[in-house]
Amino acid sequence: MSFGDRPALITAGGTVSYADLAARVAATARRLGGSPRLVMLSGANTVDAVVAYLAALSGGHPLLLVTAGAAGDLAAAYDPDVVLHPTAGGLVFEERRAASAHAVHPDLALLLSTSGSTGSPKLVRLSLDNLQANAEAIAEYLDIRPTDRAATTLPMHYCYGLSVINSHLLRGAGLILTELSVTDACFWDLFRAERGTAFAGVPYTFDLLDRIGFERMRLPHLRYVTQAGGRLAPDRVRRYAALGRRAGWDLFVMYGQTEATARMAYLPPELAPTRPSTIGVPIPGGSFRLSPLPEGAPGTGELVYSGPNVMLGYASEPADLALGRTVDELHTGDIARRAPDGLYEIVGRCGQFAKIRGLRIDPLRVEHLLDRHAVTAYCVGGDDELLVAAREPADPARVRRLVVAGTGLPPGAVRVAAVAELPRLPSGKPDHAAVRGLAFPTGLSPADDLCALYAEVLDVDGVTPDHSFVSLGGDSLSYVEMSLRLERALGHLPVDWHTTPIRSLRAPSRPRRRHALDTTVALRAVAIVLVVGTHATLFNLSGGAHLLLGVAGFNFARFHLTGAGRGERLRHIGASIRRIAVPSVAWIAAVMLVSGQYGLPSLFLLGGVFGPSPGWSGWHFWFVEALVYILAVAAALLAVPALDRLERRYPYGFPIGVLLIGLLTRYDVFGLREHYHVPSAVRVFWLFAIGWAAAKATTGWQRAVVTLAAVVTVPGYFDDPAREAVVLAGLVLLIWVPSLPSAGVVNRVAGVLAAGSLYIYLTHWQVYPRLDHHNALLAVVASLAVGLAYAALAPLVRRAAAALVRRARAAARFRRSRANARASISKPRAFALDRQESP
């Protein structure tokens, strides 16, 4: 340790300098003795564990590094001479014998379980040269500096977590030692307080980061984030790379195996946006080759790695500890291709091992595990889940618990099917290929079958039972269809179904005869009928559009102002604006082409900004324009971190403040209307604020305050008592009555009308004028029918357009790839130099 007083190990309780660390390591090494003994250490992200690890290496004692849960099995299999247990009270020594009972090769320094297969007697044998070479390579391409401070987000016994320790200590950097999860606010408090510059994650870590709103965190000293332990989806690589560019840090996507000490390849950060599906280039000092496979696709082969970090070999029993090097290169078991630009891409597996949620799982060992519990089963794995076919009378729930306990996989990654007979080949051997064809229930809850329904209605991918309607970006436009489809599927919906995880939605044990209709759905259905009926002179009950503004504010608060991160909130609001603006602009453009009725201000939803002119009919879309503007302004406000925090802290008081500001224009306090044209959005957004406040009112007195605001402000606004009564009655219902007694057929009719309300509003201007002078009722029915037809057509057009965009992007990526390939062929040495010099 030559870094003196520089901080080496940083914990919430204090800091250990490099000089102090060296002294502690020396003292522990002396206690371990001068003759090599097999030492087993339960790894932990603590000072004592790091000291013990370094002491064993420096003293020449081969170290078996294990997780606490596997310590018993591995101790029984390898009979260590010394067992070390880091505890809250210090490092506990269990010295079983003074001299080693094992013959150990002098090069052997470290024994690790293969990635994820904790408890397996099959271990990876590593030398000090392996550890040194891999740490130096990692430190080189990450450009680790003495000023860096990396947090220990991964277990020490996992080769990835251990590589973080090795590479940073090599360069004199600091380690923020913690076993806190990234979901714990205390982790980030410590990270910020200690000026953290780096942390590492497996794909599941990034799932957790998404949930906690990582993108809005302020981490001023963060310099780089690394990812390994399984494939991170290319779109997420792009997203995190873009987030890093904006925030000033780099994303390093990496590839490795325990058999290579840790790392074999990395993707230079500047290539992450354009080549996110690749593993990149070999680490400094390493190289790849492709070994042809008998039935491999052209240009592919098994990826074989060579380098000074390749393990000595495997150990399956204590006698193997005496072996020297038995492996010169590493056959990874991954099928890969090399692109013309020199980047490698994994395209499959040629063995049975599967990487699931960052863990390398051997399905055969899972079968053996279950056999020990009197369960006969066949297992196959993929990138996302382990499939287990168990012979009856096995209980799928019990089988899942055994697999989860034995592998460390989360329950959602294990699917179990109980079958009468396990599939076999004619030879009598297991037919693992046939296992994939079995019908596997998820086994988590009956609601898992609803994931496909959510994906269909919301037009999103990757729906899991942990998602809810709100977390998937659902809004008022999709709420109605989703509620109708769910009610048909389940027979009944709880009031808070939109925020309830899919896994918690289930049909009632007894069918319910009574039906209830969500008040917002009822108000939207009634309001659009009032709008069309009044315009078609079937009756005269104005106020429907203004009532819809209040409903829009209520739904805005309900669907968008959730506990999600600021970035996710803004994305969902932006999606809602697009769902309103795109079909509106499309309809206006079509009418312009056919009849020339509207002008460019209407086309760009700017009619309310430019104001009326002779013969102007752009006022038709004042409601759409006002709603788009109000949502855009709300998004702009919540994009300000201080205002976002204020809204979260005072979810009811914030809209009350917005309402008070809105009343300035409601009562024209500054007399603007006498001198200027004031857009409708400015004049009416107080109604939106009333709906917003109503959604956030959780107590009787809060609802009473909102009701009082409506009672005081609505009368006198229109100088039309009937119109004001319609708006006020609707707002009072919105505030006090979450649902109305109904019937099944009423729910279906109201749901269809509410879901199509925007489209009906857009199209009725071109329908009723052609019929109302003949028959007003016919004009209303026709207007509703045309609007509903447009509502049915719009999603089809949207999906087709999205498919065209995806194809265009794919074509653009292909053209860029070809251009890069031609460039790399013309300058082959330039890339090689860049690769060697890249940090």
Side-chain angles (χ1 to χ4, degrees), residues 268-454:
E270 64 272 15
L271 299 180
T274 56
R275 303 303 308 279
S277 62
T278 68
I279 62 170
V281 296
I283 64 172
S287 63
F288 286 128
R289 70 178 178 86
L290 297 179
S291 177
L293 296 170
E295 299 179 359
T300 68
E302 183 184 5
L303 190 64
V304 180
Y305 175 79
S306 298
N309 52 309
V310 172
M311 65 177 177
L312 299 174
Y314 290 112
S316 297
E317 58 183 354
D320 294 337
L321 304 184
L323 298 175
R325 177 168 292 280
T326 58
V327 175
D328 293 317
E329 58 181 6
L330 177 61
H331 288 255
T332 66
D334 288 320
I335 303 171
R337 68 165 67 97
R338 184 180 187 274
D341 58 4
L343 302 183
Y344 286 85
E345 181 178 5
I346 304 298
V347 296
R349 288 285 301 170
C350 53
Q352 283 192 332
F353 280 95
K355 210 63 169 291
I356 304 172
R357 307 288 179 94
L359 297 177
R360 191 180 181 207
I361 302 299
D362 182 353
L364 186 60
R365 282 200 53 77
V366 178
E367 293 178 10
H368 293 164
L369 165 80
L370 293 174
D371 185 65
R372 293 201 300 270
H373 292 275
V375 175
T376 304
Y378 296 161
C379 306
V380 294
D383 285 337
D384 299 316
E385 59 191 2
L386 182 71
L387 304 179
V388 181
R391 191 170 64 196
E392 294 176 343
D395 175 16
R398 174 175 177 263
V399 172
R400 181 178 297 102
R401 287 194 297 271
L402 292 171
V403 174
V404 168
T407 63
L409 287 171
V414 181
R415 298 173 65 190
V416 182
V419 295
E421 290 294 333
L422 293 170
R424 296 178 182 273
L425 296 169
S427 62
K429 294 182 178 180
D431 187 355
H432 286 96
V435 172
R436 296 186 185 276
L438 297 176
F440 280 89
T442 60
L444 295 175
S445 77
D448 290 337
D449 294 334
L450 300 174
C451 290
L453 178 60
Y454 273 69

Side-chain angles (χ1 to χ4, degrees), residues 700-718:
W701 73 264
Q702 289 177 340
R703 295 188 183 93
V705 170
V706 181
T707 304
L708 180 62
V711 169
V712 170
T713 58
V714 172
Y717 183 71
F718 303 104

Side-chain angles (χ1 to χ4, degrees), residues 162-207:
L162 188 62
S163 74
V164 174
I165 294 174
N166 292 338
S167 57
H168 284 78
L169 291 180
L170 178 73
R171 288 290 179 90
L175 288 169
I176 302 173
L177 289 180
T178 176
E179 297 200 302
L180 294 172
S181 166
V182 295
T183 61
D184 193 324
C186 294
F187 172 90
W188 297 107
D189 290 342
L190 178 64
F191 191 84
R192 276 186 287 264
E194 300 301 337
R195 304 165 70 89
T197 63
F199 67 87
V202 296
Y204 183 61
T205 308
F206 290 83
D207 293 341

Side-chain angles (χ1 to χ4, degrees), residues 503-514:
R503 69 169 67 254
S504 299
L505 294 173
R506 52 178 57 88
S509 56
R510 295 181 179 179
R512 303 203 178 196
R513 297 180 179 179
R514 295 182 179 180

Side-chain angles (χ1 to χ4, degrees), residues 556 569-570 573-574 577 629-640:
F556 167 78
R569 277 183 168 190
L570 296 178
I573 297 172
I577 293 174
Y629 298 158
I630 290 170
L631 289 174
V633 170
L637 290 175
L638 296 175
V640 179

Side-chain angles (χ1 to χ4, degrees), residues 523-600:
L523 291 177
R524 286 171 63 184
V526 170
I528 195 61
V529 172
L530 293 181
V531 168
V532 176
T534 298
H535 290 164
T537 67
L538 181 62
F539 44 72
N540 184 20
L541 282 175
S542 300
H546 289 83
L547 174 57
L548 285 173
L549 279 175
V551 175
F554 188 93
N555 284 331
F556 167 78
R558 181 163 59 157
F559 300 134
H560 297 313
L561 302 187
T562 63
R566 179 160 51 92
E568 186 175 346
R569 277 183 168 190
L570 296 178
R571 283 195 300 274
H572 290 171
I573 297 172
S576 290
I577 293 174
R578 288 194 300 273
R579 292 188 189 114
I580 297 168
V582 171
S584 301
V585 170
W587 179 260
I588 295 169
V591 174
M592 285 178 62
L593 290 174
V594 173
S595 67
Q597 181 177 358
Y598 303 117
L600 288 177

